[in-house]
């Protein structure tokens, strides 16, 4: 999950999860919580832009215009992407570009 409108100059990655087994058809509430490690078996949560693994919820600055949060899922030509728990979102994106068969994105908007 990526905030394209974060005031950083490069956006903000809220969640990076890879290697989700192909038989997993949904992510349930709480599966991004790195503390309880409820992510689907076999998957890997790497660092978000807070420097921690797992999901970091939306938190646009008060008064900002609504932020676009992009959630993208990828169909890959490999079961394991080849990244690890300390891989950056940039490295993950590079690896995804080498293995993507198809992708779909959903944009959600949030403001406070």
């Amino acid at each position: 999950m990526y905030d394209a409108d974060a005031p950083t100059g490069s956006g903000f990655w809220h969640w990076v999860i890879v290697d989700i087994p192909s038989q997993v058809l949904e992510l349930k509430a709480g599966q991004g919580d790195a503390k309880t490690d409820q992510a689907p078996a076999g998957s890997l949560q790497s660092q978000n832009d807070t420097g921690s693994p797992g999901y970091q919820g939306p938190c646009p600055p008060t008064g900002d215009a609504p932020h676009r949060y992009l959630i993208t899922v990828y169909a890959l030509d490999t079961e394991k992407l080849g990244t690890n728990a300390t891989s950056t979102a940039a490295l993950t994106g590079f690896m995804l570009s080498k293995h993507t068969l198809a992708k779909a994105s959903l944009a959600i908007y949030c403001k406070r």
Side-chain angles (χ1 to χ4, degrees), residues 14-20 27 30-40 42-48 51-56 83-87 92:
H14 286 262
W15 196 19
V16 180
I17 182 170
V18 299
D19 300 344
I20 300 170
L27 295 173
Q31 286 195 295
D33 186 346
K35 294 176 187 152
T36 59
D37 195 22
Q38 295 296 311
S43 65
L44 171 71
Q45 297 188 84
S46 55
Q47 290 184 13
N48 59 43
S52 302
Y55 174 75
Q56 172 65 46
T83 57
N84 62 48
T86 61
S87 294
T92 301

Side-chain angles (χ1 to χ4, degrees), residues 3 8 14-15 28 35 43 48 57 62 64 67-69 71 74 78 80 86 101 103-106 108:
D3 179 354
T8 64
H14 286 262
W15 196 19
K28 297 181 180 171
K35 294 176 187 152
S43 65
N48 59 43
T62 301
D64 269 15
H67 283 213
R68 289 170 295 149
Y69 293 87
I71 300 169
Y74 294 81
T78 184
K80 297 290 183 184
T86 61
L101 298 172
K103 67 180 182 176
S105 296
L106 170 69
I108 59 172

